[in-house]
Amino acid sequence: MSAVSLFLFSTLAVLFACVSSINLRIDEQEERECYGTTVGFGYSGTLEFHYQHLRKRYAGCTYIHGNLEVTNLVDPKLNYDLSFLKTIRYVSGYVLIGLITEVERIPLNSLEVIRGNNTYSIMGDDYSLVVVLTSRSEEDSSGVKHITGLKEIHLPQLKELSAGKVLFTGNPSLGYINTVDWEPIVRGRWDAVHFQEHAYNDSVAHNNDTSICDGGTRWGDDRTLCQQVIKSTTCHETCDGRCFGPGSDECCHSSCAVGCDGPEDEQCFVCKDYLYETHCVGFCPARAYPKLQKCVQY
Ligand SMILES: *[C@@H]1O[C@H](CO)[C@@H](O)[C@H](O)[C@H]1NC(C)=O
Ligand SMILES: *[C@@H]1O[C@H](CO)[C@@H](O)[C@H](O)[C@H]1NC(C)=O
Ligand SMILES: *[C@@H]1O[C@H](CO)[C@@H](O)[C@H](O)[C@H]1NC(C)=O
């Protein structure tokens, strides 16, 4: 081999090694499991430490094992950037958003399933989606009070809240909550959505404005924020939520989330818990451990 071709060969080898290690890293980023928290409205250290800690915990995560708690973003001197929430697709516990006054938008654009395996209990009810206390009032130089705070929460992909209820209260600036169709999300659990005092600002938007999204259902005035709904018929009363037709024999299997195209646990659109071989299961069997949403055999 001449010196030149040897040089070329080794350069190519190095290049190839770089490319494959980059690919590996991208693959890892595509699916990443992270652990949530159970502190509720608590936090430790300073507000800045708390925020940096949140960023580190959730950066690049797609699957949250446990609860997603995003709270205490209240320091006007910090420049909050919550774009790290955009990759999350699944939360096995509950989602708690509260005490957030310095952020206008919460970008949970990919979140599809809130499993609600753990719920957050307040006022005698068990919730799996809680959005509370997101504003503060400010006095301007002439003494006039202005309310500022969270304006939008982006959950366009949210298709399933498998267990637990929804609570909104203390969000006087938050818009578009009345332009969401909650029924396909909580499916058949009529009393599951609780709007209490100042749940949202109902003068921001109405769902009779269909210029952006079909039916007007949306989480904000942008095409990417239209509510994604899987069309389905009214289910038979014996179905526990989801079905693929109106008959009593057309219910989805109880391990399915979102929907299905047949009655078996192999026909779910998404598994509520884990995928084992081709079946959705509630827990992994012997000699398999859960990783992401799959049971891995050993
Ligand atoms: C509610 O929305 C309306 C219309 O966008 C706005 O004028 C008003 O200031 C909002 N209220 C609060 C408390 O943010
Ligand atoms: C849409 O509905 C709201 C209240 O439901 C109403 O105030 C508003 O005038 C309606 N807009 C149109 C264009 O019909
Ligand atoms: C649900 O929660 C229980 C108790 O907290 C736990 O033992 C179980 O592994 C959880 N299941 C899933 C699918 O996360």
Side-chain angles (χ1 to χ4, degrees), residues 74-77 101-102 104 135-149 151 172-173:
V74 294
D75 186 345
K77 293 187 294 295
T101 58
E102 305 307 314
E104 293 199 336
S135 77
R136 67 183 164 89
S137 73
E138 254 178 1
E139 253 178 51
D140 66 18
S141 49
S142 48
V144 179
K145 274 193 178 171
H146 296 277
I147 293 177
T148 61
K151 288 191 161 64
S173 298

Side-chain angles (χ1 to χ4, degrees), residues 6-40:
L6 190 66
F7 170 74
L8 249 179
F9 176 78
S10 53
T11 310
L12 275 177
V14 168
L15 250 177
F16 184 73
C18 286
V19 166
S20 55
S21 74
I22 287 166
N23 274 343
L24 211 76
R25 240 179 294 139
I26 288 168
D27 283 346
E28 276 169 13
Q29 270 175 11
E30 276 174 359
E31 288 279 356
R32 182 161 171 223
E33 182 170 28
C34 302
Y35 284 81
T37 54
T38 52
V39 293

Side-chain angles (χ1 to χ4, degrees), residues 146-151 171-174 201-205:
H146 296 277
I147 293 177
T148 61
L150 187 65
K151 288 191 161 64
N171 312 303
S173 298
L174 181 61
N201 181 348
D202 63 5
S203 47
V204 172

Side-chain angles (χ1 to χ4, degrees), residues 89-91 93 95 111-116 128-129 155-164 166 181-187 189 227-230 240-243 252-260 268-273:
R89 294 205 304 262
Y90 178 100
V91 174
V95 173
L111 185 56
E112 189 175 13
V113 174
I114 300 175
R115 171 66 180 95
S128 55
L129 175 61
L155 286 159
Q157 298 289 337
L158 185 62
K159 296 187 194 79
E160 162 116 3
L161 210 91
S162 312
V166 175
D181 185 1
W182 290 89
E183 210 290 320
I185 298 171
V186 298
R187 206 71 233 212
R189 294 184 291 129
Q227 180 178 1
Q228 302 296 305
V229 180
I230 290 178
D240 185 17
R242 312 271 166 187
C243 60
C252 292
H253 193 274
S254 63
S255 298
C256 296
V258 179
C260 62
C268 307
F269 294 152
V270 178
C271 294
K272 260 187 196 162
D273 297 302

Side-chain angles (χ1 to χ4, degrees), residues 27-278:
D27 283 346
E28 276 169 13
Q29 270 175 11
E30 276 174 359
E31 288 279 356
R32 182 161 171 223
E33 182 170 28
C34 302
Y35 284 81
T37 54
T38 52
V39 293
F41 288 101
Y43 70 99
S44 49
T46 63
L47 285 170
E48 173 157 24
F49 176 82
H50 166 67
Y51 163 60
Q52 296 301 347
H53 205 69
L54 270 180
R55 284 181 52 156
K56 269 186 216 135
R57 177 182 289 275
Y58 295 116
C61 303
T62 53
Y63 175 97
I64 308 297
H65 188 90
N67 315 309
L68 175 64
E69 297 176 319
V70 183
T71 66
N72 296 287
L73 307 180
V74 294
D75 186 345
K77 293 187 294 295
L78 291 179
N79 200 357
Y80 292 111
D81 173 4
L82 300 188
S83 56
F84 62 88
L85 295 173
K86 274 192 180 172
T87 50
I88 298 171
R89 294 205 304 262
Y90 178 100
V91 174
S92 76
Y94 60 78
V95 173
L96 171 64
I97 292 172
L99 289 176
I100 296 186
T101 58
E102 305 307 314
V103 174
E104 293 199 336
R105 289 174 181 78
I106 307 238
L108 283 164
N109 301 57
S110 308
L111 185 56
E112 189 175 13
V113 174
I114 300 175
R115 171 66 180 95
N117 186 38
N118 309 311
T119 51
Y120 188 79
S121 300
I122 6 172
M123 300 179 288
D125 259 315
D126 294 328
Y127 295 99
S128 55
L129 175 61
V130 177
V131 180
V132 295
L133 306 174
T134 60
S135 77
R136 67 183 164 89
S137 73
E138 254 178 1
E139 253 178 51
D140 66 18
S141 49
S142 48
V144 179
K145 274 193 178 171
H146 296 277
I147 293 177
T148 61
L150 187 65
K151 288 191 161 64
E152 295 176 19
I153 173 167
H154 297 162
L155 286 159
Q157 298 289 337
L158 185 62
K159 296 187 194 79
E160 162 116 3
L161 210 91
S162 312
K165 300 180 180 182
V166 175
L167 176 65
F168 280 76
T169 186
N171 312 303
S173 298
L174 181 61
Y176 301 100
I177 303 308
N178 56 332
T179 60
V180 171
D181 185 1
W182 290 89
E183 210 290 320
I185 298 171
V186 298
R187 206 71 233 212
R189 294 184 291 129
W190 300 107
D191 65 337
V193 183
H194 295 181
F195 292 142
Q196 297 187 358
E197 211 177 331
H198 300 295
Y200 53 83
N201 181 348
D202 63 5
S203 47
V204 172
H206 300 282
N207 57 12
N208 54 7
D209 174 3
T210 53
S211 60
I212 297 160
C213 305
D214 261 1
T217 55
R218 62 199 190 280
W219 295 85
D221 275 341
D222 187 289
R223 261 177 225 291
T224 63
L225 299 175
C226 296
Q227 180 178 1
Q228 302 296 305
V229 180
I230 290 178
K231 294 268 178 290
S232 65
T233 47
T234 306
C235 299
H236 193 266
E237 59 188 10
T238 55
C239 295
D240 185 17
R242 312 271 166 187
C243 60
F244 58 97
S248 62
D249 55 351
E250 292 176 301
C251 302
C252 292
H253 193 274
S254 63
S255 298
C256 296
V258 179
C260 62
D261 49 22
E264 306 298 332
D265 62 5
E266 291 180 279
Q267 291 166 301
C268 307
F269 294 152
V270 178
C271 294
K272 260 187 196 162
D273 297 302
Y274 305 113
L275 182 68
Y276 175 62
E277 293 176 338
T278 57

